[in-house]
Structure formats: structure tokens, C-alpha cells
Amino acid sequence: MRHEDLEPYILHAQELKRRYAERIDIRVGLEVDYIPGYESDVRDMLNTYGAQLDDALLSVHFLEGKGGWRCVDLSPEDFQEGLVDPYGSVEAVHQAYWTAVKQAIDVDLGSYKPRRMSHLSLAHKFQLKHPLKNPQRFRREVLELLDAIQQRGMELDLDAAGLFKPDCLEIYPAPWIMAEAVKRGIPFVYGSDTHSVKGVGQGFEEAQRLLTAAGIVPRESR
Ligand SMILES: [Fe+2]
């Protein structure tokens, strides 16, 4: 989103919230990127607009790669060229990703810092094309950051989009991470992460099934 589009977006969302208040519970929100080195910019943005938000997610999409910041979730080819090639291995990219997620959990972004981490295992998006040699290679790092999420009273987004990505076919976070989060009592909130009307509610039943399998009774239905 361009900076000049932010305020119109919030005003438009608030207008829709008012207009449909009797029919739909609309919450005005943002998915906020954590990019190392840009903490003060994000903090300033949240201090300006945070009071107008009902909800927000904190995400890591970018790592420093070939030629600058690269999205981890653009395409398998871009993942290879922009990240795996300069880092030297898929393992090294995942290491950098989990380090950035831990920083996002720990960073001070002010009093409007989002309390929910989104698509925690986004680095798995192209896992069928770029697999880890050992899928449990980062177990220790992931458990440490789940401990940090628990200690800070944060939540996790249960993002169904990964189920529909052909090189992922797995919910974010991965089911083993979900199970560890459940053990720690970390709350989940379902998200479709859809970018179109067609995907609203996608994977909802599967998300419910996975939560139930992990030992949680989903509190609300659609
Ligand atoms: Fe995202």
C-alpha cells in the first residue's frame, strides 16, 4: 500500500463499518510489516493511525536478498534467485526468516503494536519446490519464539491461504507448530488471507478440523 492510500483506506473502511453495522461486524484493520531497520517508521505510522484500528496483524514478508529487500512469498523462482542463491541454502533462508520473526515479536513498536503474528510459517510457501532437508531443523528456534509469543500475551493468525498454494498445501502455521502453540495456550484467530471475494472463508472447515485435532474446541462458528 502506498503511504498516501493509507488514510483513504481507513476512512473508507470506517464508512463501510458504519453502513453495514446492523448486518456485518466489520473491523478496520491492517497487516503491518516488520522490516528490520524500519522500526521507527512503523512505530510512527502506528502512533498516527493505531487508535483508528480495531485489529491488526504483524507480518514478516521481506528479507534482505539479492539487490535489496525481497519478498519470501512471491514465486518459487524468485525465492531461489532472490534468497536461496545469495544465502547459499534453503536452510539459511529459513534461519534468516525465523530470526526476523523473533525480532518482530520482541521489537518495540509502541502501544499500538499488533498483538497477533500472521502466517508464521510463510517461509514454507514454496516448500514442495524448496524443501528443508530436515523439516524439524528449526524446531528449537520455533519453540523459542512460541515461548516469546506466550510470554508477551500475543496471538497467532491461523491463515488458511497456505492450504491453497500449490507448492505449500499446508496451513500457516504448520500443524506441528500449531500443536506446540496449543500446548502453550496461545490463542488462534482464523484468517482466509484472501485477496478476492471468492476466497472469503476459504479453508474454514479445515482450520476448524486442525484446531480440533490439536486439542482446541473452536469457540465460534462462521
Ligand atoms: Fe501477509
Side-chain angles (χ1 to χ4, degrees), residues 18-147:
R18 278 191 295 274
R19 196 191 308 170
Y20 293 101
E22 308 220 321
R23 295 165 57 191
I24 317 173
D25 177 17
I26 295 176
R27 298 184 195 178
V28 180
L30 277 182
E31 181 181 15
V32 178
D33 248 299
Y34 171 68
I35 305 176
Y38 290 83
E39 291 84 353
S40 63
D41 300 83
V42 177
R43 201 180 301 122
D44 289 349
M45 184 277 289
L46 286 169
N47 284 339
T48 305
Y49 296 105
Q52 299 174 62
L53 301 174
D54 303 316
D55 202 357
L57 292 161
L58 187 60
S59 306
V60 176
H61 299 94
F62 294 97
L63 292 175
E64 259 188 305
K66 185 179 172 187
W69 294 102
R70 305 290 294 238
C71 275
V72 300
D73 60 337
L74 200 60
S75 70
E77 296 74 25
D78 190 77
F79 188 85
Q80 176 72 44
E81 184 198 318
L83 294 164
V84 178
D85 288 349
Y87 281 83
S89 67
V90 174
E91 278 70 18
V93 177
H94 280 239
Q95 178 69 69
Y97 190 77
W98 291 123
T99 299
V101 172
K102 181 66 166 59
Q103 288 171 353
I105 292 163
D106 291 340
V107 71
D108 174 12
L109 294 177
S111 54
Y112 293 107
K113 177 179 174 177
R115 302 193 60 74
R116 192 178 323 128
M117 296 299 298
S118 60
H119 47 57
L120 204 68
S121 53
L122 186 66
H124 292 189
K125 181 168 177 181
F126 306 118
Q127 61 181 350
L128 299 181
K129 285 215 170 81
H130 299 294
L132 288 169
K133 291 188 184 85
N134 171 8
Q136 294 289 304
R137 164 71 180 73
F138 294 102
R139 186 173 181 83
R140 184 177 58 80
E141 289 82 349
V142 170
L143 296 186
E144 277 176 15
L145 64 89
L146 289 177
D147 289 342

Side-chain angles (χ1 to χ4, degrees), residues 157-165 170-172 190-193 201-204 206-207:
D157 169 41
L158 187 56
D159 181 331
L163 293 165
F164 303 92
K165 304 299 179 191
E170 180 184 83
I171 204 160
Y172 309 125
Y190 162 82
S192 68
D193 199 358
Q202 64 181 354
F204 187 80
E206 179 65 0

Side-chain angles (χ1 to χ4, degrees), residues 150-193:
Q150 179 196 32
Q151 282 157 18
R152 294 177 186 283
M154 296 175 77
E155 303 174 339
L156 282 174
D157 169 41
L158 187 56
D159 181 331
L163 293 165
F164 303 92
K165 304 299 179 191
D167 297 317
C168 186
L169 303 181
E170 180 184 83
I171 204 160
Y172 309 125
W176 74 267
I177 302 176
M178 276 180 70
E180 291 293 337
V182 168
K183 278 188 208 165
R184 289 162 177 76
I186 297 169
F188 286 95
V189 176
Y190 162 82
S192 68
D193 199 358

